[in-house]
């Protein structure tokens, strides 16, 4: 556990503490009274209120739209299901700036709705809420649907045989088992929307600002580190509470009903009602998820001279560009940075998951609580202000022995912080399912710890490791909040390039932003299709060798 702790201490804790300390300390004196001064400002209170209520509204709307989809993916078997599962996951791994761009092309000025009916939703809260549903649909489908597909339907059938109606059987048997998963999904959606940055910045305009957007404005535009530090601490406390509740909820979910192989619970739709439900879910996916992405592609091809690849060809030229290099170089930069970040995330996350598995099995209650606390801390980079982390990198890592401001590794390090939680969440349940007796038997036969891991653990977790690496690569490609501070002008990443192109007037810049967003979307979609195939093979293999409550329960993410 030493290396993961050191990594998070140096590249997460230290930069965050450094930026917060600079905001609270002046002339060598700590000034904690700034809390009251900042929180007393009416505009800051408005930001806190808007951040909270839009997150609650986004969470409720996402659950309303996505829970029927979770049921369909869990209980129905239909042609194209594997591809469709990858499609609904694409928005989740897209950069928030690309999500904002897609909805800008759909509901913004000159967007599809504006052209057809004169309807514009940009600079309104509805655009933000719909974009959040687009972004978080997969969280509910995979978290709730993943558990739903493993619940034994025969328990509900038994309740109906005893006289319960279909709804009563679902309410008394299935709903209590699903409740922890629904709560866990709701908490994660609330977390992601509470810390929303790119979506609000692009679609909200100056009228709407979340905590994350306000932190960025205070640090990058106003340079008021005191206000930014107060808001960072507030966000840190809220995120800490959410993650603590989420960890408790996940533990409840893991003790739910006896689980079965997912392959035996799904069946083709039967009857008009089930076919109507499937059609409704497919229609909602088409409108809310596929249409924005389709409009994104359409806008990237719609040039002043007619449909073609003019905007894509313009990416190869640096003439009049926002950067010191041709925008197309952002593709190579992003791929290289994401590959390096993936290696770092897999190493750190894999070691952390292995340490949590080993220590969690044989520690007393106090130590076990500390282990669970470290497990929750690994999730903090998903909720703590990425803007603060990025700016903290510039402030904290600016002198020997950690003067990394001019080093290319700075961007992969920031991206790896976001990738590690996905690696841990994917690897940990699989590692915990490995029979400890196999490890002990290998050790008794003289195998070293390294050989035990190579001969026992690795064959069982190889596919999970590939899935973890794939998710780490996808989220690293899309990291924006921290990278916007530390990416050099001659080495922009795709999300940074898209944001800066959107910030410049002109059809060419807008078209290039759409083209880069489309390229990034395609890369993410291909990666997820590969992951879906690996995931399906892994779950099928586990289903064949699993027994009862040993069925894989990774929670999809």
């Amino acid at each position: 556990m030493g290396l993961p702790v050191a990594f998070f201490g140096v590249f997460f804790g230290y930069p965050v503490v450094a930026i917060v300390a600079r905001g609270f300390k002046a002339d060598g004196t700590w000034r904690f009274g700034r809390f009251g001064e900042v929180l007393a400002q009416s505009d800051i209170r408005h930001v806190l209120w808007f951040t909270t209520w839009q997150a609650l509204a986004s969470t409720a709307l996402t659950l309303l739209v996505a829970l029927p989809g979770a049921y369909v993916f869990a209980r129905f078997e239909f042609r194209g299901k594997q591809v469709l599962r990858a499609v609904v996951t694409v928005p989740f791994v897209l950069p928030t700036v690309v999500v904002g761009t897609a909805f800008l092309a759909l509901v913004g000025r000159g967007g599809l709705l504006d052209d057809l009916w004169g309807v514009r939703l940009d600079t309104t809260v509805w655009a933000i809420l719909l974009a959040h549903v687009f972004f978080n649909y997969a969280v509910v489908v995979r978290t709730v649907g993943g558990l739903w597909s493993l619940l034994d339907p025969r328990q509900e059938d038994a309740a109906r045989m005893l006289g319960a109606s279909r709804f009563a059987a679902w309410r008394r048997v299935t709903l209590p088992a699903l409740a922890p998963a629904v709560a866990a999904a709701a908490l994660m959606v609330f977390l992601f929307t509470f810390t929303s940055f790119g979506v609000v910045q692009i679609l909200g305009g100056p009228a709407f600002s979340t905590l994350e957007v306000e932190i960025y404005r205070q640090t990058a535009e106003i340079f008021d580190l005191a206000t930014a530090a107060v808001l960072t601490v507030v966000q840190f406390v809220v995120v800490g509470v959410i993650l603590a509740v989420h960890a408790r909820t996940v533990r409840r979910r893991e003790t739910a009903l006896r689980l079965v192989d997912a392959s035996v619970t799904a069946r083709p739709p039967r009857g008009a009602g089930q076919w109507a439900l499937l059609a409704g879910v497919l229609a909602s996916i088409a409108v809310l998820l596929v249409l924005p992405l389709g409009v994104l592609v359409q806008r990237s091809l719609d040039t002043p001279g007619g449909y073609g690849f003019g905007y894509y060809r313009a990416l190869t030229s640096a003439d009049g560009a926002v950067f010191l290099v041709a925008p197309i170089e952002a593709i190579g930069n992003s791929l290289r940075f994401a590959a390096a970040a993936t290696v770092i995330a897999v190493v750190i996350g894999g070691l952390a998951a292995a340490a949590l598995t080993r220590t969690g099995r044989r520690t007393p209650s106090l130590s076990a609580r500390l282990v669970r606390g470290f497990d929750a801390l690994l999730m903090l980079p998903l909720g703590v202000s990425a803007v603060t982390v990025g700016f903290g990198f510039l402030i904290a890592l600016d002198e020997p022995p950690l003067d990394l401001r001019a080093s290319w590794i700075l961007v992969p390090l920031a991206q790896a912080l976001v990738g590690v939680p996905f690696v841990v969440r994917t690897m940990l349940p699989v590692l915990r399912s490995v029979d400890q007796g196999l490890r002990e038997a290998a050790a008794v036969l003289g195998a070293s710890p390294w050989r035990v891991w190579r001969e026992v653990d690795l064959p069982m977790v190889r596919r999970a490791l590939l899935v973890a690496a794939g998710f780490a690569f996808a989220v690293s490609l899309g990291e924006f909040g921290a990278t916007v501070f530390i990416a050099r002008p001659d080495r922009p990443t795709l999300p940074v390039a898209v944001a800066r192109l959107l910030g410049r007037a002109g059809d060419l810049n807008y078209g290039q932003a759409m083209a880069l967003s489309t390229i990034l979307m395609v890369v993410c979609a291909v990666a997820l299709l590969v992951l879906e195939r690996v995931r399906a093979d892994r779950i099928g293999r586990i289903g064949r060798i699993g027994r009862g409550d040993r069925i894989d329960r990774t929670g999809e993410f």
Side-chain angles (χ1 to χ4, degrees), residues 238-433:
V238 174
V239 169
V241 172
I242 294 172
L243 291 178
V245 176
H246 181 267
R248 185 178 182 85
T249 302
V250 169
R251 287 198 299 273
R252 284 180 57 205
R253 185 179 66 180
E254 290 179 349
T255 60
L257 297 178
R258 182 177 181 272
L259 306 180
V260 297
D261 186 357
S263 64
V264 303
T265 63
R267 63 178 185 271
R270 293 181 296 186
Q274 291 189 355
W275 279 107
L277 176 61
L278 176 59
V281 168
L282 293 178
S284 67
I285 291 174
V287 172
L288 290 174
L289 305 185
V290 178
L291 181 59
L293 298 179
V295 173
L296 187 67
V297 176
Q298 182 265 334
R299 294 295 177 180
S300 73
L301 297 172
D302 189 8
T303 67
Y307 283 96
F309 294 95
Y311 290 139
Y312 290 88
R313 287 192 293 268
L315 296 176
T316 62
S317 173
D319 296 337
V322 183
F323 312 102
L324 301 178
V325 296
I328 199 169
E329 292 196 19
I331 301 173
N333 294 334
S334 286
L335 292 176
R336 287 190 293 270
F337 289 151
T342 300
V343 173
I344 297 171
V346 168
V347 171
I348 299 298
L351 289 174
L356 289 170
T357 303
R358 303 296 175 85
T359 55
R361 291 178 181 226
R362 56 176 184 269
T363 52
S365 58
L366 177 59
S367 298
R369 285 196 293 270
L370 292 176
V371 169
R372 289 197 296 268
F374 177 66
D375 187 11
L377 286 175
L378 292 173
M379 296 287 289
L380 279 178
L382 292 181
V384 172
S385 172
V387 170
T388 301
V389 174
F391 196 56
F393 268 37
L394 295 181
I395 291 178
L397 306 179
D398 63 342
E399 58 184 9
L402 287 175
D403 185 3
L404 300 177
R405 288 178 302 175
S407 174
W408 67 272
I409 197 65
L410 201 62
V411 173
L413 287 171
Q415 294 174 342
L417 286 172
V418 183
V420 167
F422 287 90
V423 174
V424 174
R425 293 271 69 81
T426 303
M427 296 294 299
L428 191 57
V430 182
L431 284 170
R432 284 174 173 168
S433 70

Side-chain angles (χ1 to χ4, degrees), residues 147-208:
L147 178 61
W148 211 333
S149 66
L150 301 177
L151 295 181
D152 192 345
R154 291 173 296 183
Q155 297 176 95
E156 199 172 307
D157 295 338
R160 295 192 63 195
M161 290 180 62
L162 294 175
S165 64
R166 181 182 296 274
F167 177 75
W170 179 84
R171 180 172 57 86
R172 295 177 182 176
V173 177
T174 304
L175 183 59
L178 285 178
V182 174
L187 285 168
M188 292 310 297
V189 173
F190 183 85
L191 174 64
F192 292 139
T193 53
F194 186 85
T195 58
S196 184
F197 176 48
V199 165
V200 179
Q201 188 181 43
I202 292 175
L203 296 176
F208 301 105

Side-chain angles (χ1 to χ4, degrees), residues 468-487:
F471 270 115
F473 181 79
V475 298
S476 296
L477 274 177
E479 205 289 319
F480 174 64
T483 308
V484 70
F485 277 96
I486 57 181

